[in-house]
Amino acid sequence: MKSVLVTGATSGIGYALALLLSQRGYTVVASGRNEQQLMALQQQTGCHIIQADLAQPNEVTGLFERAVSLVGHIDVLVNNAGMNSRKCLIEEFTLEEFDHQYAVNLRAPALLSREALLHMKPQKSGQIINVISTVAKRSNETMSVYTAMKQGLSGFSAILAKEAQPHGIKVTSLFPGGTDTNFRAAERPEYMDPKSVALVIAQLLELPADMIMHEMMFRPPVELE
């Protein structure tokens, strides 16, 4: 069974995905910042865990190395971790907020993708799934910094797909809409359940060998555009 590295696995989509893949027999390496939550996830699923802060570039590159050392090889990388410090007008964001969002939302998945390519090229196979957001397809006021980073990741992921495909490596850019996770301060029951998004990601791992899903966008019924 395939070995999968999932970032942002202590809550939301990443947590639901780690649970689902573990139940299906995948070898899961779950990463997150909160060590206690990771340990609870490990007790629940038997998955491997790595505590890492993706805002720190040395921890990002070390994360992939540690994952390989734990399970021998990584077949699938799911760049799921992301953050948005707050909504604010352009004239209100701080340099610290900008740098933090850049580090987590763009630099970390780019670095992890680079490490995955280096690892997967010799084995002529692999899969990288970048969980982006429908925000990359829109222009919402008060979401300038987050949108910029997600649009940057979307562009990076599209080029990654072209560079990876000749080596047998599949790359998918996922654009999920509103999801009811603790990413938001208030509960949004009208949004998608994280388990539903995890199910979609799991299905991508089981597509026929002669098929690649380059891009996929999906939303809850309450979102129309």
Side-chain angles (χ1 to χ4, degrees):
M1 187 58 79
K2 294 178 179 178
S3 299
V4 186
L5 171 59
V6 181
T7 66
T10 55
S11 63
I13 296 170
Y15 176 77
L17 182 62
L19 285 177
L20 180 60
L21 294 183
S22 296
Q23 291 167 359
R24 292 191 174 187
Y26 287 87
T27 299
V28 176
V29 181
S31 170
R33 286 183 304 162
N34 189 309
E35 190 170 13
Q36 288 186 334
Q37 290 178 342
L38 283 173
M39 292 177 66
L41 177 62
Q42 185 179 48
Q43 291 177 350
Q44 189 173 3
T45 65
C47 71
H48 302 271
I49 57 173
I50 300 175
Q51 192 277 333
D53 182 359
L54 298 189
Q56 307 300 321
N58 60 320
E59 294 193 30
V60 175
T61 53
L63 166 60
F64 200 90
E65 294 173 0
R66 291 168 64 190
V68 171
S69 68
L70 280 174
V71 297
H73 62 92
I74 296 296
D75 299 299
V76 182
L77 165 65
V78 182
N79 278 315
N80 166 73
M83 58 80 62
N84 184 24
S85 50
R86 62 178 176 133
K87 295 181 179 181
C88 69
L89 297 173
I90 289 175
E91 64 265 30
E92 295 174 352
F93 77 77
T94 67
L95 176 60
E96 291 75 17
E97 287 174 323
F98 190 96
D99 286 348
H100 193 199
Q101 290 213 46
Y102 159 69
V104 175
N105 294 331
L106 180 53
R107 186 177 66 193
L111 288 174
L112 284 168
S113 295
R114 183 192 69 185
E115 297 304 305
L117 274 184
L118 290 169
H119 175 72
M120 293 174 180
K121 273 187 177 183
Q123 59 195 37
K124 300 294 184 181
S125 67
Q127 191 167 4
I128 301 172
I129 299 173
N130 290 317
V131 182
I132 304 175
S133 169
T134 52
V135 74
K137 304 289 189 180
R138 309 175 72 184
S139 301
N140 292 336
E141 296 92 341
T142 73
M143 297 281 281
S144 60
V145 178
Y146 183 67
T147 300
M149 302 311 164
K150 289 298 187 177
Q151 288 186 354
L153 180 57
S154 175
F156 176 89
S157 190
I159 295 170
L160 174 67
K162 289 186 175 182
E163 295 189 8
Q165 193 159 315
H167 302 280
I169 302 166
K170 300 180 179 183
V171 176
T172 302
S173 299
L174 275 190
F175 299 90
T179 309
D180 187 19
T181 71
N182 59 4
F183 191 84
R184 295 176 172 83
E187 291 186 4
R188 298 296 296 267
E190 73 275 19
Y191 281 178
M192 295 182 293
D193 191 303
K195 295 178 183 178
S196 301
V197 181
L199 182 60
V200 170
I201 297 174
Q203 289 172 337
L204 290 173
L205 305 187
E206 299 172 2
L207 291 177
D210 60 351
M211 179 186 298
I212 300 175
M213 182 71 73
H214 288 146
E215 289 192 1
M216 188 175 188
M217 180 166 60
F218 48 94
R219 293 185 167 105
V222 294
E223 292 182 343
L224 297 178
E225 65 171 334

